[in-house]
Amino acid sequence: MITTIALAAVLAVGSAPAAVDPLTQEIAALDGKVFDAYNNCDLPAFSGYFDPKVAFFHDSGGATFERDAMVDGVRKYICGKVRRELIPASFRVYPVKDYGAIEEGEHRFCELATQRCEGIAKFVMVWAKRDGAWQITTVLIYGHRAATPEEQRAATGR
């Protein structure tokens, strides 16, 4: 989940806009809600953030074009096993005229059993705003790699 402190870190990054961009703030808050539900296995809430025909591309897991199948994968492979943490310095948001926004960044995954945060991946999410409500229509998760020892220390604070 992106906390107020993490949001401040996102907005304070050198290449981020000096003034708080309302769209960036809104998408950061949504990202926090989506992944709070993901991390807590609140699958009904998690599911609600996605278009029923979401296009979900995962470099090692394949492609899914249906929300229920994607959520089922989270149920099987994520719940109770890992948590997702946004890497705030990587977070960017770009407006899409008359549609919504593109969110990009990197996130790490931490094993709940060991508390080790060893995997990092890049992501892109396309958000559509329809009738005042936001939904994710496209997700790209790619570039999975092992965290460096420095990144692991940063994740655990040691």
Side-chain angles (χ1 to χ4, degrees), residues 65-112:
F65 302 98
E66 204 260 335
R67 176 178 61 200
D68 291 344
M70 181 202 61
V71 172
D72 190 50
V74 171
R75 178 182 297 106
K76 288 179 186 174
Y77 304 112
I78 300 299
C79 284
K81 296 176 181 84
V82 299
R83 79 175 177 276
R84 181 258 197 182
E85 295 179 354
L86 175 67
I87 299 173
S90 70
F91 183 80
R92 301 286 183 275
V93 175
Y94 306 92
V96 177
K97 186 179 188 303
D98 299 327
Y99 187 80
I102 297 169
E103 172 188 359
E104 72 173 1
E106 286 187 305
H107 47 206
R108 69 180 140 250
F109 294 91
C110 304
E111 293 181 27
L112 296 178

Side-chain angles (χ1 to χ4, degrees), residues 83 85 108 110 115-120 146-158:
R83 79 175 177 276
E85 295 179 354
R108 69 180 140 250
C110 304
Q115 294 301 308
R116 295 182 67 146
C117 303
E118 297 179 330
I120 293 180
T148 65
E150 181 180 297
E151 289 168 326
Q152 289 179 32
R153 283 190 299 278
T156 60
R158 294 184 237 156

Side-chain angles (χ1 to χ4, degrees), residues 4-135:
T4 303
I5 293 169
L7 177 57
V10 165
L11 299 174
V13 172
S15 60
V20 175
D21 173 351
L23 179 63
T24 297
Q25 191 170 17
E26 187 170 16
I27 297 299
L30 286 165
D31 182 275
K33 291 177 183 178
V34 169
F35 288 100
D36 183 52
Y38 174 95
N39 288 337
N40 289 297
C41 292
D42 182 351
L43 298 181
F46 178 72
S47 176
Y49 289 102
F50 294 88
D51 184 277
K53 297 295 181 188
V54 64
F56 185 91
F57 301 91
H58 191 283
D59 60 358
S60 59
T64 303
F65 302 98
E66 204 260 335
R67 176 178 61 200
D68 291 344
M70 181 202 61
V71 172
D72 190 50
V74 171
R75 178 182 297 106
K76 288 179 186 174
Y77 304 112
I78 300 299
C79 284
K81 296 176 181 84
V82 299
R83 79 175 177 276
R84 181 258 197 182
E85 295 179 354
L86 175 67
I87 299 173
S90 70
F91 183 80
R92 301 286 183 275
V93 175
Y94 306 92
V96 177
K97 186 179 188 303
D98 299 327
Y99 187 80
I102 297 169
E103 172 188 359
E104 72 173 1
E106 286 187 305
H107 47 206
R108 69 180 140 250
F109 294 91
C110 304
E111 293 181 27
L112 296 178
T114 65
Q115 294 301 308
R116 295 182 67 146
C117 303
E118 297 179 330
I120 293 180
K122 295 179 181 187
F123 71 91
V124 172
M125 293 192 291
V126 179
W127 291 83
K129 191 168 190 179
R130 301 176 184 134
D131 300 321
W134 288 97
Q135 278 198 312

Side-chain angles (χ1 to χ4, degrees), residues 134-152:
W134 288 97
Q135 278 198 312
I136 300 167
T137 61
T138 307
V139 178
L140 306 166
I141 309 289
Y142 59 98
H144 283 82
R145 64 179 177 81
T148 65
E150 181 180 297
E151 289 168 326
Q152 289 179 32

